Amino acid sequence: VMQQQSQSLQLIRNKPVAPPRRERSKPPPKPGINSNEPSDLFIQRPIKEVARLLYDLVEKSDRKYKLHTYTNCFIGRETITIMEENNLCLHRKHGVELCREMEELNIIHHVLYEKGNKFGDNKDSFYQFTIDDNNTNN
């Protein structure tokens, strides 16, 4: 029995040992959408500069809602998406905060001039830039 045990030990000692398994590390999340990390490309700008950039980026057109046509307006949800894609905000909530600040400074306004309502990140919220008020709604 002792001889069998010593032979078994010799076999075990001579057997090549596999290196210990390493856990696969997950790659770090990319900054931007669904990430808590700020984008490396984000630059904090004065609100009026953000508004100027946004004015050139956002699609302004005539839109119909509940049998009424609003001229030269843009959609709240699309605006926040454009701000995210062009690094004008860190995330959607930050974009909404910036747009609300623009609203307070009378840079943008709701098409119905609703003062009580704050900027909304949804597809049914239409806004206009105050400088475009020469085109009034019919």
Side-chain angles (χ1 to χ4, degrees):
V1 175
M2 301 256 310
Q3 189 178 9
Q4 286 178 346
Q5 287 179 345
S6 69
Q7 286 175 351
S8 295
L9 283 173
Q10 278 182 337
L11 286 175
I12 291 172
R13 287 184 191 145
N14 293 335
K15 188 176 183 181
V17 178
R21 285 187 176 192
R22 285 187 2 191
E23 295 280 329
R24 269 193 198 174
S25 61
K26 294 180 181 178
K30 294 181 181 179
I33 298 174
N34 298 329
S35 170
N36 293 331
E37 297 297 317
S39 169
D40 293 338
L41 302 175
F42 174 75
I43 299 171
Q44 189 168 358
R45 298 175 172 92
I47 194 69
K48 289 185 179 180
E49 184 180 338
V50 173
R52 265 186 246 112
L53 293 168
L54 191 59
Y55 184 84
D56 293 334
L57 292 169
V58 77
E59 179 188 339
K60 298 173 288 294
S61 63
D62 295 351
R63 302 178 194 277
K64 290 185 179 189
Y65 184 69
K66 292 188 178 180
L67 303 174
H68 192 82
T69 301
Y70 301 99
T71 59
N72 208 19
C73 61
F74 56 94
I75 300 172
R77 178 167 295 275
E78 289 177 5
T79 302
I80 302 300
T81 302
I82 288 169
M83 290 175 76
E84 276 187 318
E85 290 171 351
N86 291 280
N87 297 305
L88 297 177
C89 64
L90 293 168
H91 44 75
R92 295 194 79 81
K93 187 175 178 181
H94 182 234
V96 169
E97 290 170 8
L98 291 173
C99 287
R100 287 180 179 170
E101 188 176 343
M102 285 185 241
E103 221 172 7
E104 288 174 16
L105 295 171
N106 292 320
I107 296 171
I108 64 173
H109 63 84
H110 190 273
V111 292
L112 297 177
Y113 293 91
E114 294 175 342
K115 290 289 183 185
N117 291 345
K118 294 182 179 178
F119 185 90
D121 180 10
N122 57 59
K123 64 182 176 84
D124 296 326
S125 294
F126 298 157
Y127 297 89
Q128 294 171 321
F129 283 93
T130 308
I131 61 171
D132 289 338
D133 275 350
N134 296 338
N135 300 335
T136 57
N137 289 327
N138 298 328

